[in-house]
Amino acid sequence: MTKFNFEEETTREGTFSIQYEGTEPVFGRTGLAPFWIADMDIKTPEAITEAMKKRLDNGIFGYTIWKNPKFYGPVKQWWKSRFDVDLTDDMITYAPSVLYTVSEAIRLNSEKGDGVILTMPTYNAFLKVLKGNDRKVVSCPLIEEDDYAFDFEQFEALCREPENKVYVHCNPHNPTGRVWTKEELQKMKDICIQNDVFFVSDEIHMDFVRPKEDFVSMVELMEEDDPILVTTGLGKTFNLASLPHSYFITKNEPLKEKIVREFDHRYNVGTANSLVLAAIEAAYMECGDWVDELNDHLEGNFDYISDYIDEHLSEHLSFKKPDSTYLAWISFEKSGIPDAVMHKALVDIGEIAVSPGHMYDLSENGRFRMNVASSRKRIEEGMERIHRTIERLKEESKV
Ligand SMILES: Cc1ncc(COP(=O)(O)O)c(C=O)c1O
């Protein structure tokens, strides 16, 4: 018996959502059925909304201390109950956002012009942050096999280059959904430590690993003073992206102090968002069941997409169900349709916004990323739009 309804129709009317109203800069127009940016058309669990309402009733939203037991306690409880990881208060630091922390970790561990290693494909905002901080993107392409594999040989060679100072890891990996094993993480860590490369692990998609027992956080491999930082938050898991917040975990006290000093003194953003603190407590203490059911729902959506492609589009599309995230990384390579033709057709014919693969890569890759975090009905509609697009291209002999 399921307790939660992920089929509920939702609306974002009047909310200025980027997903619906912000398509113009990327897709050249509005009015598209959106399946792109990574937020959900699924309501935040009621326990969280109720906790925020209660906090709202107080009516005062002044500067707020994050170093308090109602922040540390729920974070520790979540990590213990979900991943069997023991955290202590001094390992956990509140921060304004995941990208904020990634950016600070890069700034504090490298100089302008230095190289920062990223897998390719990569989460697109890492590219943006490196550019914004005048760091060089050093690409370590994943090897495309049945699944995506990490190229350790190439990685080691890149880490040996003295100008490459930081590696930004994504676990689970956006956009491929790859979940890294403990052995792989250990190897990456060893290579980084041997070559003095700082290791940043972005684990914001951690709650979408299916089954959850398969998730191994870099926290599990951290030893005292390791040059490693894990950053994560609740923005993805509980659909809270517009309430900026995050936290990071490290056993490197000097690094932690440096980052906190920057937050406090350079930017004066060292206080917590009072509504988010209420949300974190409710989410991490009460919403484990909701996350489990959400993952079942997402798994069902991925099955639907997989079956749909097998039945109608197998000549043109290939798709392997990911072990995590709510992002389907779909290849149209075998259709032979050039990237530009496909992406334009999806917008013009299908009137659908899926993220073009080149957003996540330095080169064309014959892929798009489809966000599946919504009701089955919306996914059905999305697949029909993709089908229609390819049928039309076929009619026009572009396939
Ligand atoms: C891998 C990854 N990291 C970070 C973020 C964004 O986190 P934040 O809004 O806290 O900076 C996203 C959002 O899509 C993401 O996919």
Side-chain angles (χ1 to χ4, degrees):
M1 252 281 284
T2 53
K3 263 188 1 211
F4 307 99
N5 177 14
F6 298 104
E7 302 297 342
E8 186 184 341
E9 227 176 275
T10 54
T11 174
R12 306 228 205 157
E13 208 167 321
T15 66
F16 304 106
S17 93
I18 294 182
Q19 184 80 264
Y20 285 78
E21 296 177 51
T23 50
E24 184 110 35
V26 181
F27 301 94
R29 55 169 283 196
T30 52
L32 301 172
F35 295 83
W36 62 297
I37 199 166
D39 64 14
M40 305 199 269
D41 272 319
I42 285 173
K43 279 189 184 170
T44 295
E46 211 174 305
I48 297 179
T49 321
E50 288 305 317
M52 290 198 285
K53 280 186 194 159
K54 204 162 148 218
R55 178 65 188 82
L56 282 175
D57 284 343
N58 172 270
I60 304 276
F61 307 101
Y63 294 117
T64 302
I65 299 166
W66 59 262
K67 284 187 186 181
N68 76 66
K70 290 193 164 196
F71 168 62
Y72 289 129
V75 173
K76 289 188 294 189
Q77 152 74 18
W78 188 256
W79 280 73
K80 183 68 189 165
S81 63
R82 307 289 298 182
F83 313 126
D84 199 24
V85 171
D86 290 299
L87 300 177
T88 55
D89 293 2
D90 56 356
M91 290 165 72
I92 309 164
T93 305
Y94 181 94
S97 78
V98 166
L99 260 302
Y100 198 105
T101 303
V102 170
S103 199
E104 277 313 289
I106 289 170
R107 278 193 345 96
L108 292 170
N109 290 289
S110 65
E111 303 288 331
K112 280 188 179 180
D114 282 344
V116 175
I117 304 170
L118 301 177
T119 60
M120 217 45 77
T122 180
Y123 168 47
N124 53 324
F126 294 154
L127 294 168
K128 190 163 139 191
V129 160
L130 294 200
K131 191 157 180 250
N133 283 292
D134 300 308
R135 298 316 194 254
K136 198 171 115 203
V137 176
V138 178
S139 167
C140 187
L142 297 176
I143 302 168
E144 258 191 88
E145 293 168 346
D146 181 36
D147 207 344
Y148 280 91
F150 197 83
D151 187 345
F152 284 101
E153 215 172 293
Q154 161 102 327
F155 184 63
E156 187 157 21
L158 295 173
C159 286
R160 272 207 218 103
E161 299 286 332
E163 67 272 20
N164 296 337
K165 298 287 199 314
V166 180
Y167 169 50
V168 181
H169 183 60
C170 197
N171 182 26
H173 188 263
N174 176 5
T176 68
R178 182 71 160 74
V179 178
W180 307 101
T181 66
K182 192 164 193 169
E183 292 68 36
E184 288 169 325
L185 294 174
Q186 185 65 53
K187 246 169 123 173
M188 291 174 204
K189 173 185 166 177
D190 292 345
I191 294 171
C192 284
I193 301 248
Q194 276 155 21
N195 294 286
D196 225 2
V197 170
F198 190 87
F199 197 120
V200 181
S201 186
D202 176 340
E203 301 184 0
I204 197 170
H205 293 275
M206 66 188 188
D207 294 312
F208 297 106
V209 176
R210 296 174 290 271
K212 64 179 184 294
E213 290 73 23
D214 285 355
F215 174 62
V216 182
S217 169
M218 207 54 206
V219 174
E220 293 184 43
L221 282 75
M222 262 183 202
E223 287 168 46
E224 226 49 50
D225 296 329
D226 272 347
I228 299 177
L229 174 149
V230 167
T231 169
T232 190
L234 292 75
K236 300 285 153 215
T237 314
F238 299 101
N239 213 16
L240 299 170
S242 66
L243 299 177
H245 75 281
S246 73
Y247 58 93
F248 70 85
I249 301 170
T250 185
K251 289 189 180 174
N252 188 318
E253 197 59 27
L255 171 84
K256 181 178 110 183
E257 291 307 319
K258 264 205 250 173
I259 296 187
V260 168
R261 209 173 314 122
E262 296 289 294
F263 288 160
D264 277 349
H265 299 297
R266 179 188 275 260
Y267 308 108
N268 194 29
V269 289
T271 70
N273 177 318
S274 50
L275 274 186
V276 161
L277 284 191
I280 291 176
E281 187 188 356
Y284 276 0
M285 299 308 288
E286 298 172 46
C287 298
D289 290 356
W290 184 87
V291 173
D292 291 338
E293 273 194 33
L294 172 63
N295 272 307
D296 291 343
H297 173 75
L298 296 173
E299 192 72 10
N301 283 355
F302 282 124
D303 283 334
Y304 177 85
I305 291 173
S306 193
D307 292 346
Y308 191 97
I309 290 177
D310 283 350
E311 196 174 326
H312 304 285
L313 289 163
S314 60
E315 266 178 66
H316 308 290
L317 301 183
S318 11
F319 169 61
K320 182 181 174 297
K321 248 174 54 169
D323 300 324
S324 69
T325 75
Y326 50 73
L327 307 164
W329 184 235
I330 298 175
S331 166
F332 55 88
E333 261 181 320
K334 67 176 165 189
S335 72
I337 305 173
D339 281 37
V341 174
M342 180 60 116
H343 297 312
K344 187 169 181 314
L346 285 164
V347 172
D348 293 347
I349 302 167
E351 300 191 299
I352 181 171
V354 286
S355 306
H358 57 74
M359 280 171 77
Y360 310 92
D361 215 323
L362 297 176
S363 53
E364 307 268 290
N365 55 15
R367 279 178 172 66
F368 56 80
R369 195 192 76 171
M370 180 178 180
N371 176 342
V372 313
S374 51
S375 65
R376 185 69 42 82
K377 194 166 153 235
R378 273 200 81 240
I379 300 299
E380 287 169 12
E381 186 201 328
M383 291 314 294
E384 277 159 25
R385 285 170 184 266
I386 292 169
H387 195 175
R388 192 189 320 149
T389 305
I390 294 179
E391 284 299 319
R392 179 82 67 82
L393 286 176
K394 252 169 46 181
E395 279 160 31
E396 292 171 1
S397 320
K398 289 195 178 139
V399 180

